[in-house]
């Protein structure tokens, strides 16, 4: 539990009272959702995915991280991790509807028919958005502007959702491209986390008030970096391992696990 450096919990208590009504309404909403799900035929996997998505968004955008993120950069980064690596992943998983997609092993039947973006494009878009928003000058401006902060949260969530949908929509026979995208994303995420951890000075000295929570600005920044590095292993690398295992399961089928090639311009071979 985070507490003020002076030993008081006034800020936490204020956040708790402010978020009490929101939490109560959210619990009621979850209860109503559970009742609706009990009246229709929904698989257990999709039910858990929907409940997990609502919980992650509640924690990140409403309470308690919404209040803490104004003063702690580590709480701000934890918001991104919950939204991009939990909520977006779960939404992408239970929205897939192709029998041949990588998510069909986990989610037998999809609930949406949203178009799937190009995997290299959305991979690049997500990484560029993450780095641009966390440039010191850009993040400082967003921290003092509710409009920019909201735009940051929505854009990163949207980029992550497009990325996960493109990853999980890949056919099991061509899982190698999704695995490569996951490992490349994990490497770039960990690079940003390593910069935050090993920097000798605070990169965001004007962000919030970490001293009020018992941290120096550098310690708060290092904690945010450690959270990013941990998320690389928990999400991107873990999902890559799962997809690799599914890809190995296709090796015993004719042509399984092998890239499919087509003729492009100038008779060049292009992998699908």
């Amino acid at each position: 539990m985070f507490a003020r450096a002076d030993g008081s919990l006034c800020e936490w208590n204020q956040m708790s009272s402010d978020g009490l009504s929101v939490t109560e309404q959210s619990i009621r909403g979850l209860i109503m959702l559970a009742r609706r799900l009990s009246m229709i035929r929904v698989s257990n996997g999709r039910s858990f995915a929907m409940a997990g998505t609502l919980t992650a968004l509640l924690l990140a955008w409403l309470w308690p991280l919404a209040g803490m993120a104004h003063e702690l950069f580590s709480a701000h980064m934890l918001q991104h991790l919950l939204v991009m690596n939990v909520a977006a992943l779960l939404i992408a998983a239970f929205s897939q509807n192709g029998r041949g997609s990588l998510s069909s092993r986990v989610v037998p039947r999809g609930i949406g028919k949203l178009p799937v973006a190009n995997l290299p494009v959305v991979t690049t878009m997500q990484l560029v958005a993450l780095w641009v928003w966390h440039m010191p000058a850009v993040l400082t401006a967003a921290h003092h502007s509710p409009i920019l902060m909201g735009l940051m949260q929505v854009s990163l969530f949207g980029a992550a959702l497009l990325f996960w949908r493109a990853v999980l929509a890949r056919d099991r026979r061509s899982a190698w491209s999704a695995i490569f995208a996951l490992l490349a994303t994990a490497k770039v995420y960990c690079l940003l986390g390593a910069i935050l951890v090993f920097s000798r000075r605070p990169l965001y000295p004007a962000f919030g008030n970490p001293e009020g929570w018992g941290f120096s600005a550098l310690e708060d920044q290092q904690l945010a970096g450690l959270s990013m590095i941990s998320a690389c292993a928990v999400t991107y690398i873990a999902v890559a391992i799962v997809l690799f295992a599914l890809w190995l399961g296709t090796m015993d089928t004719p042509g399984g696990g092998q890239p499919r090639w087509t003729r492009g311009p100038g008779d060049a071979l292009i992998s699908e």
Side-chain angles (χ1 to χ4, degrees), residues 78-93:
L78 188 56
Q79 277 185 308
H80 292 330
L81 297 179
L82 283 174
V83 170
M84 300 176 68
N85 294 6
V86 179
L89 173 57
L90 292 176
I91 292 176

Side-chain angles (χ1 to χ4, degrees), residues 200-253:
R200 296 184 178 181
R201 62 180 179 84
L203 301 178
Y204 313 97
F207 190 98
N209 181 30
E211 291 80 6
W213 295 81
F215 299 105
S216 67
L218 184 59
E219 291 172 340
D220 185 32
Q221 176 181 295
Q222 291 171 340
L223 183 59
L226 289 174
S227 299
M228 291 193 67
I229 295 174
S230 301
C232 291
V234 173
T235 53
Y236 298 105
I237 297 178
V239 173
I241 293 174
V242 171
L243 299 190
F244 180 71
L246 295 178
W247 178 70
L248 288 179
T250 67
M251 296 295 289
D252 56 351
T253 61

Side-chain angles (χ1 to χ4, degrees), residues 43-242:
S43 65
N44 291 334
R46 287 172 57 196
S47 299
F48 284 122
M50 286 184 279
T53 299
L54 291 176
T55 302
L57 294 178
L58 167 66
L59 294 174
W61 285 350
L62 295 180
W63 184 87
L65 291 179
M68 298 172 63
H70 288 291
E71 297 190 350
L72 291 172
F73 180 62
S74 54
H76 166 85
M77 191 60 66
L78 188 56
Q79 277 185 308
H80 292 330
L81 297 179
L82 283 174
V83 170
M84 300 176 68
N85 294 6
V86 179
L89 173 57
L90 292 176
I91 292 176
F94 70 71
S95 65
Q96 297 296 323
N97 56 7
R99 290 188 175 182
S101 64
L102 289 166
S103 63
S104 61
R105 292 286 185 90
V106 181
V107 183
R109 209 170 43 165
I111 64 174
K113 296 182 179 180
L114 298 176
V116 177
N118 181 270
L119 181 57
V121 172
V122 294
T123 301
T124 304
M125 182 177 65
Q126 179 183 223
L127 295 177
V128 169
L130 180 72
W131 278 77
V132 168
W133 276 117
H134 287 87
M135 295 175 62
V138 177
L139 184 60
T140 300
H143 181 66
H144 294 91
S145 171
I147 296 178
L148 287 179
M149 182 60 69
L151 181 60
M152 173 198 289
Q153 296 287 350
V154 173
S155 62
L156 290 177
F157 173 64
L161 180 58
L162 292 175
F163 170 78
W164 285 116
R165 279 185 54 80
V167 166
L168 298 181
R170 303 297 294 179
D171 187 271
R172 290 190 294 272
R173 296 176 183 270
S174 59
W176 59 273
S177 58
I179 294 173
F180 178 81
L182 286 165
L183 296 180
T185 301
K187 184 175 182 179
V188 177
Y189 265 63
C190 288
L191 176 60
L192 178 57
I195 292 176
L196 297 177
V197 171
F198 294 107
S199 177
R200 296 184 178 181
R201 62 180 179 84
L203 301 178
Y204 313 97
F207 190 98
N209 181 30
E211 291 80 6
W213 295 81
F215 299 105
S216 67
L218 184 59
E219 291 172 340
D220 185 32
Q221 176 181 295
Q222 291 171 340
L223 183 59
L226 289 174
S227 299
M228 291 193 67
I229 295 174
S230 301
C232 291
V234 173
T235 53
Y236 298 105
I237 297 178
V239 173
I241 293 174
V242 171

Side-chain angles (χ1 to χ4, degrees), residues 7-30:
S8 67
L9 296 177
C10 57
E11 180 71 16
W12 179 262
N13 291 335
Q14 181 180 356
M15 291 164 51
S16 299
S17 60
D18 293 341
L20 183 59
S21 60
V22 174
T23 304
E24 183 179 356
Q25 294 175 5
S26 302
I27 293 175
R28 291 178 180 177
L30 290 175

